[in-house]
């Protein structure tokens, strides 16, 4: 996802500190205090411009949502969407999601969404894929016992890799869909990338996995 440099982004982020958490590492293990309730917490890694998380938060007002996005010039669009929707159950984090154990405590999270993550197709970049076993170690640590990982992608290579990685890790595959939009799922909230790729007629893959 490309975005132009936005010189006003820093100020915009500071102004919206009620939406974007400025000291997220200090909130580790205490996100329920940030939301002022004990509702389940779902996180999205690589939130992009925020369409998915805002749609999910609207549809599931009894859950809290945290979106992590590394690119400042992109997360500002997500902030604007949260503002426009006046969503109270969303917080955003502008950090590199390289080790989620620094942001979240053990068993703090109920669900992890990996939407259209970068596929890193070259073998030598395998360790960067968000479903490489070192990432699964992190997810296992922060997820509750019954927690789930929900992965959506248009990328067949990443999808197949992830299914193998989950299985080799001993995870249970609760759902595997090779064409998500073929099955009418009224609860599915489309991401920006999902809209773009499905408009081109590409199938969207979805998998739900548990430890
Ligand atoms: N999830 C969105 C969607 O489906 O429309 C965006 C998908 S886009 C291909 C991947 C996003 O992940 C980009 O916005 C990118 O900046 C973000 N990203 C990549 N690596 C990341 C990391 N290590 N930590 C946080 N965000 C990351």
């Amino acid at each position: 996802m490309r975005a132009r440099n936005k010189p006003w982004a820093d100020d915009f982020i500071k102004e919206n500190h009620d939406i974007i958490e400025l000291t997220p590492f200090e909130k580790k293990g205490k996100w329920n205090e940030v939301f002022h309730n004990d509702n389940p917490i779902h996180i999205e890694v690589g939130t992009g411009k925020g369409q998915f998380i805002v749609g999910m938060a609207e549809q599931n007002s009894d859950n809290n949502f945290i979106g992590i996005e590394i690119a400042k010039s992109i997360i500002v669009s997500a902030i604007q969407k949260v503002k426009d929707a006046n969503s109270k159950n969303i917080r955003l984090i502008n950090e590199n999601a390289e080790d989620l154990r620094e942001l979240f405590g053990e068993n703090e999270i109920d669900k992890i969404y990996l939407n259209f993550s970068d596929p890193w197709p070259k073998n030598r970049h395998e360790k960067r894929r968000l479903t490489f076993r070192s990432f699964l170690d992190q997810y296992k640590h922060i997820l509750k016992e019954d927690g789930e990982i929900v992965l959506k992608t248009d990328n067949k290579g990443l999808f197949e890799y992830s299914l193998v990685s989950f299985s080799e890790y001993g995870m249970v595959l609760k759902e595997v869909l090779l064409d998500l939009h073929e099955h009418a799922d009224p609860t599915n909230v489309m991401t920006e990338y999902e809209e773009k790729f499905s408009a081109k007629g590409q199938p969207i893959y979805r998998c739900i996995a548990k430890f």
Side-chain angles (χ1 to χ4, degrees), residues 5-23:
N5 184 33
K6 293 176 181 150
W8 46 269
D10 279 325
D11 288 341
F12 187 71
I13 285 174
K14 278 189 207 129
E15 280 161 25
N16 289 289
H17 57 85
D18 52 333
I19 294 173
I20 185 159
E21 201 50 60
L22 301 182
T23 55

Side-chain angles (χ1 to χ4, degrees), residues 1-203:
M1 187 175 282
R2 291 221 181 103
R4 282 196 210 116
N5 184 33
K6 293 176 181 150
W8 46 269
D10 279 325
D11 288 341
F12 187 71
I13 285 174
K14 278 189 207 129
E15 280 161 25
N16 289 289
H17 57 85
D18 52 333
I19 294 173
I20 185 159
E21 201 50 60
L22 301 182
T23 55
F25 298 104
E26 291 173 18
K27 303 298 183 301
K28 174 178 168 173
K30 297 187 274 196
W31 286 96
N32 57 344
E33 293 175 17
V34 172
F35 289 105
H36 306 293
N37 61 48
D38 285 325
N39 290 347
I41 301 176
H42 296 191
I43 66 171
E44 185 189 16
V45 183
T47 284
K49 295 183 179 173
Q51 176 170 304
F52 175 80
I53 206 163
V54 169
M56 289 297 285
E58 241 166 40
Q59 199 182 87
N60 303 279
S61 54
D62 289 343
N63 292 335
N64 297 317
F65 292 85
I66 301 175
I68 309 157
E69 170 55 53
I70 194 171
K72 203 177 280 182
S73 55
I74 294 174
I75 206 168
V76 288
S77 301
I79 296 173
Q80 190 60 53
K81 280 204 186 73
V82 176
K83 269 169 88 94
D84 293 346
N86 197 23
S87 320
K88 299 296 177 209
N89 53 339
I90 301 182
R91 292 294 182 282
L92 299 173
I93 299 176
N94 179 211
E95 292 290 344
N96 186 342
E98 60 188 352
D99 194 345
L100 296 173
R101 288 167 296 206
E102 292 177 3
L103 287 165
F104 305 107
E106 194 171 359
N107 303 325
E108 190 171 20
I109 300 303
D110 292 81
K111 216 176 255 197
I112 300 175
Y113 296 99
L114 304 175
N115 289 325
F116 299 81
S117 311
D118 298 332
W120 296 107
K122 292 185 179 147
N123 281 341
R124 67 189 157 91
H125 290 149
E126 181 191 1
K127 289 184 180 164
R128 298 186 191 179
R129 297 179 197 147
L130 291 187
T131 47
F132 182 67
R133 58 180 176 276
S134 62
F135 283 99
L136 301 185
D137 288 340
Q138 299 179 29
Y139 305 152
K140 188 170 189 211
H141 183 82
I142 65 167
L143 274 176
K144 296 214 168 100
E145 205 169 309
D146 234 21
E148 291 178 348
I149 298 174
V150 183
L151 174 119
K152 285 201 281 189
T153 182
D154 63 303
N155 189 288
K156 196 174 179 205
L158 179 67
F159 192 66
E160 287 173 351
Y161 173 84
S162 302
L163 293 181
V164 172
S165 187
F166 291 149
S167 302
E168 285 181 352
Y169 203 89
M171 294 178 74
V172 177
L173 300 177
K174 216 180 123 184
E175 177 199 88
V176 177
L177 294 179
L178 301 183
D179 190 350
L180 168 62
H181 296 171
E182 199 183 57
H183 310 259
D185 176 357
T187 65
N188 183 49
V189 174
M190 292 231 255
T191 80
E192 276 98 357
Y193 270 62
E194 184 172 354
E195 271 186 2
K196 195 169 82 177
F197 290 121
S198 54
K200 288 184 189 165
Q202 285 178 235

